């Protein structure tokens, strides 16, 4: 079985970030403290409707000594997608001459942004863009459930849902997974969750409570509140699993742009 490698090096402080190619989607929840860092290194930056309000209102707060207008111009998205029922009129007016807008019928904002990225010329066949989505966790549970469903809709696309507290990725059953942990950034709390379907056999290494051909299902055992023991985790399962790990609180000043 082919091995799929996972890394969260995109969370490394400025100057240490790897050359990993990714696109950033901002949804309509509070911006994580590491948003400026992700923004700096993203190849493509999208706001999903009300996510534009978050960029407009919250990004200047990361730079209290700089003029808010300069920050808004420096950190303008490449694209705003949505039916525009959540973006405020003043924010819409500000970005109207600066950003490409794409209207679509009401549906999952994250879903439409992912389709746009997958069709982008930047998403080369030889070097696919990883997709990072902030604001995909927290707030209304039905929105969270819809965002989790998007992971299952596009199992061949590397998508990471992010909040200040944790990240979530899908581990497709088609691969054996090797997850590399940056201990200064992630852990120790983690979990493997069989939301899509029960797992008859899941085997792991590198966890405090490893699984060995273990059955997992809702109403039975699920591997929540587990702990990482080292810097490499392996997972093999007969079912698609959600992998989640806590993100350690960072000093925001270390994640801001350099220069």
């Amino acid at each position: 079985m082919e091995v799929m490698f996972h890394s969260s090096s995109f969370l490394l402080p400025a100057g240490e970030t790897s050359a990993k190619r990714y696109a950033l989607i901002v949804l309509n929840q509070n911006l994580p403290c590491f948003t400026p860092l992700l923004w700096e290194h993203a190849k493509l930056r999208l706001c999903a409707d009300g996510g534009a309000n978050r960029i407009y209102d919250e990004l200047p707060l990361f730079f209290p000594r700089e003029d808010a207008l300069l920050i808004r111009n420096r950190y303008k998205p490449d694209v705003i997608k949505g039916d525009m029922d959540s973006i405020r009129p003043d924010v819409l007016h500000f970005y109207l001459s600066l950003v490409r807008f794409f209207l679509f019928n009401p549906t999952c904002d994250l879903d439409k942004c992912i389709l746009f990225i997958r069709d982008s010329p930047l998403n080369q066949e030889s070097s696919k863009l990883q997709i990072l989505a902030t604001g995909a966790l927290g707030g209304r549970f039905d929105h969270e459930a819809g965002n989790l469903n998007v992971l299952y809709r596009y199992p061949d696309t590397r998508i990471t849902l992010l909040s200040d507290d944790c990240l979530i990725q899908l581990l497709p059953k088609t691969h054996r997974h090797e997850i590399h942990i940056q201990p200064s950034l992630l852990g120790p709390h983690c979990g493997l969750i069989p939301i899509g379907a029960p797992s008859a056999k899941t085997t792991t290494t590198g966890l405090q409570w490893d699984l060995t051909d273990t059955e997992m299902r809702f109403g039975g055992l699920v591997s929540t509140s587990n702990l990482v023991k080292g810097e490499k985790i392996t997972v093999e399962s007969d079912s698609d699993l959600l992998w989640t790990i806590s993100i350690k609180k960072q000093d925001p000043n270390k994640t801001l742009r350099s220069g």
Side-chain angles (χ1 to χ4, degrees), residues 89-103:
D90 60 314
V91 177
L92 178 62
H93 177 76
F94 178 81
Y95 287 123
L96 207 51
S97 63
L98 301 174
V99 178
R100 289 184 294 166
F101 283 78
F102 292 86
L103 292 169

Side-chain angles (χ1 to χ4, degrees), residues 5 32 60 115 128 170 195:
F5 297 93
L115 288 175
K128 296 289 189 182
L170 182 71
I195 285 185

Side-chain angles (χ1 to χ4, degrees), residues 35-36 46 63 98 105 136 143 146 160 165 168 173 205 234 245:
T35 301
L46 294 86
F63 305 90
L98 301 174
N105 294 328
H143 282 170
T160 302
D165 301 306
I168 297 178
K173 64 183 179 182
T205 65
T234 67
I245 188 168

Side-chain angles (χ1 to χ4, degrees), residues 187-191 206-209 223-230 233:
H189 302 95
C190 65
L207 300 178
Q208 182 68 45
W209 294 282
S223 183
T224 56
S225 300
N226 212 325
L227 300 170
V228 295
K229 288 200 305 183
I233 310 298

Side-chain angles (χ1 to χ4, degrees), residues 149-162:
N149 185 54
V150 167
L151 300 183
Y152 286 84
R153 282 172 55 81
Y154 305 102
D156 59 336
T157 301
R158 289 176 179 259
I159 304 169
T160 302
L161 309 183
L162 291 157

Side-chain angles (χ1 to χ4, degrees), residues 79-168:
V79 172
I80 297 175
K81 289 184 67 67
D83 57 353
M84 306 305 157
D85 65 339
S86 298
I87 188 172
R88 297 199 313 270
D90 60 314
V91 177
L92 178 62
H93 177 76
F94 178 81
Y95 287 123
L96 207 51
S97 63
L98 301 174
V99 178
R100 289 184 294 166
F101 283 78
F102 292 86
L103 292 169
F104 56 76
N105 294 328
T107 185
C108 176
D109 291 342
L110 177 58
D111 185 273
K112 292 298 184 183
C113 286
I114 288 170
L115 288 175
F116 181 89
I117 294 168
R118 283 163 57 103
D119 292 338
S120 168
L122 291 171
N123 193 40
Q124 305 162 11
E125 187 65 36
S126 60
S127 183
K128 296 289 189 182
L129 288 171
Q130 182 177 2
I131 297 175
L132 311 179
T134 70
L137 307 171
R140 283 170 44 188
F141 179 71
D142 59 327
H143 282 170
E144 283 189 311
N147 293 334
L148 294 175
N149 185 54
V150 167
L151 300 183
Y152 286 84
R153 282 172 55 81
Y154 305 102
D156 59 336
T157 301
R158 289 176 179 259
I159 304 169
T160 302
L161 309 183
L162 291 157
S163 72
D164 255 326
D165 301 306
C166 70
L167 64 79
I168 297 178

